[in-house]
Amino acid sequence: MATRALPRALRASTSILSASRPTILPSRVVIQRAAFHISATRLQKKKKNTTTAPPPEAGAFARTDDSITVEYPDDSSQLPSSRPVDSGIGRAGQNVFPTLATFSLQGKVGVVTGGARGLGLVMGQGIVVSGGDLAIVDLNKEEATKQAENIVETFKKDYPSAKKIPKVTAHYADVADPTSVDACIAEIISEHGKIDNLVTSAGFTENFEATAYPIDRVRKLWGVNVDGTYLFATAVARHLMDRSSPGSLVFIGSMSGSIVNVPQPQTPYNASKAAVRHLAASFAVEWAKAGIRVNCISPGYMLTALTKKILDENPDLKEKWTSLIPQGQMGNPEDLMGPVTFLLSDASRYVTGADLRVDGGYTCT
């Protein structure tokens, strides 16, 4: 009765819709299922014919491997020596200058802990190339002295017409010892007159499964990575506050402070770098009123001399690492020269509490 009361055109369209539902829609569902079934069958046949090895255990690529053990040498003289890198003038040619004036570190004095080798050495060189003076701090004073001379000689070679030769000095410090840190800071101020910038690059990593990690080594690792960062940062901050001067501090963290590396087990190291990252954020808030900026750089896998030595002894490890990096390769120490210069300079004067990840995209996935 209700249908008859509808207009003829509407009754016709209603009849068409009613008639179409049982015929068109089910046939589409059947076709889709058939197509899926065929595709799945073909995939299964192809896999059966080409697979020769058993599939890996579920989750295997996302787990640590307890068999990987790497112990950091107790004697720093056992570490491979580094060399200053090409600062880029040869590659950039006529485009080296000019650049934004705010990136200059001219007139600034920067301190780099762990500055005699690896990442610290190259970042210190970046400070010098950008116009700043440098104080290299290291547990190995002899190596620091040699590298200070190398940096100056490299600068003279790269910039023969430079009007000012940078002042680069070497200093001893056990970064985990408050007395040693205070003595080092006093020595730097005595030689340079002031401190404007700090890069805390002193640190190390080891690989042990957590249940077998010797507690004395855990404490040593935390002493250098965390206590050393805290002690140097607070010492430099006091100096800046006494001078009523702004400054910029950069902590060298690690992508390991945000993710868990695989396959090597390194829980205490990961936790220590998470602490470094949050120290930077906490100090940034606390010291903002004093004009002191604090930021963190979190490198990914970098090909330092020590890393190369480890990978030469564990060739499969490099393949596993690079397979997880979107850019498909490990970084070089000089990849940190630009980021550290940016964060130390006035180019980043409104940046504080940030964590700049330099990891080839590793932590994006």
Side-chain angles (χ1 to χ4, degrees):
M1 295 293 292
T3 304
R4 288 175 186 167
L6 294 172
R8 181 177 298 176
L10 187 56
R11 287 203 306 271
S13 63
T14 304
S15 300
I16 292 171
L17 287 172
S18 300
S20 66
R21 286 192 185 112
T23 57
I24 297 175
L25 294 181
S27 64
R28 285 178 179 169
V29 172
V30 170
I31 290 171
Q32 290 172 352
R33 286 177 179 172
F36 178 80
H37 177 71
I38 292 170
S39 299
T41 303
R42 288 173 179 168
L43 182 61
Q44 290 170 357
K45 288 180 179 179
K46 184 178 180 181
K47 186 175 182 181
K48 184 177 180 181
N49 292 335
T50 59
T51 302
T52 57
E57 179 185 354
F61 295 142
R63 295 174 181 162
T64 56
D65 182 351
D66 293 343
S67 67
I68 299 174
T69 302
V70 178
E71 187 172 325
Y72 194 80
D74 291 324
D75 185 355
S76 61
S77 64
Q78 298 176 18
L79 296 171
S81 184
S82 303
R83 289 285 302 170
V85 299
D86 175 4
S87 61
I89 188 169
R91 296 191 303 274
Q94 62 181 4
N95 296 321
V96 172
F97 302 110
T99 188
L100 284 173
T102 51
F103 280 93
S104 173
L105 296 177
Q106 188 172 356
K108 305 293 185 182
V109 177
V111 176
V112 180
T113 67
R117 289 184 177 84
L119 304 182
L121 174 63
V122 175
M123 288 186 288
Q125 187 183 1
I127 291 173
V128 168
V129 171
S130 300
D133 290 333
L134 173 66
I136 297 174
V137 176
D138 205 272
L139 195 61
N140 189 330
K141 174 79 177 287
E142 182 180 353
E143 184 72 14
T145 301
K146 181 182 77 172
Q147 297 297 0
E149 294 171 356
N150 287 340
I151 287 177
V152 171
E153 290 305 312
T154 301
F155 181 89
K156 289 179 180 178
K157 179 182 177 182
D158 288 347
Y159 304 95
S161 60
K163 296 180 179 179
K164 175 185 176 295
I165 302 301
K167 182 176 183 178
V168 183
T169 57
H171 309 269
Y172 165 85
D174 176 353
V175 299
D177 178 5
T179 303
S180 179
V181 171
D182 289 342
C184 178
I185 292 293
E187 183 180 272
I188 294 171
I189 295 171
S190 175
E191 291 202 34
H192 288 269
K194 64 172 184 172
I195 296 172
D196 300 293
N197 298 322
L198 171 69
V199 179
T200 60
S201 186
F204 70 95
T205 183
E206 292 185 308
N207 302 121
F208 287 94
E209 57 174 312
T211 54
Y213 207 139
I215 190 61
D216 60 319
R217 301 200 68 85
V218 174
R219 289 172 177 148
K220 180 179 179 181
L221 183 145
W222 270 69
V224 175
N225 294 5
V226 182
D227 295 354
T229 299
Y230 185 92
L231 291 172
F232 258 92
T234 52
V236 170
R238 284 191 295 271
H239 166 70
L240 290 169
M241 291 173 186
D242 289 343
R243 289 170 49 212
S244 298
S245 175
S248 179
L249 284 56
V250 175
F251 298 169
I252 305 305
S254 170
M255 67 175 184
S256 306
S258 303
I259 52 91
V260 177
N261 304 68
V262 290
Q264 70 278 17
Q266 52 186 44
T267 296
Y269 175 79
N270 296 349
S272 75
K273 289 303 184 178
V276 167
R277 178 169 56 89
H278 205 56
L279 273 177
S282 301
F283 285 151
V285 173
E286 186 173 340
W287 298 339
K289 60 183 178 289
I292 300 172
R293 296 186 297 108
V294 188
N295 291 288
C296 182
I297 291 178
S298 291
Y301 291 121
M302 294 286 167
L303 279 169
T304 63
L306 179 59
T307 304
K308 289 176 182 176
K309 182 175 183 296
I310 293 172
L311 293 179
D312 286 344
E313 298 169 356
N314 302 272
D316 291 344
L317 201 55
K318 183 177 181 179
E319 183 179 352
K320 291 177 181 178
W321 286 356
T322 54
S323 70
L324 297 170
I325 303 172
Q327 286 195 344
Q329 61 185 7
M330 295 175 64
N332 292 304
E334 52 265 43
D335 293 327
L336 297 177
M337 295 175 84
V340 77
T341 300
F342 166 67
L343 289 176
L344 291 177
S345 72
D346 288 341
S348 62
R349 61 189 171 194
Y350 199 57
V351 179
T352 193
D355 177 30
L356 178 53
R357 298 181 189 177
V358 187
D359 62 5
Y362 189 105
T363 52
C364 294
T365 60

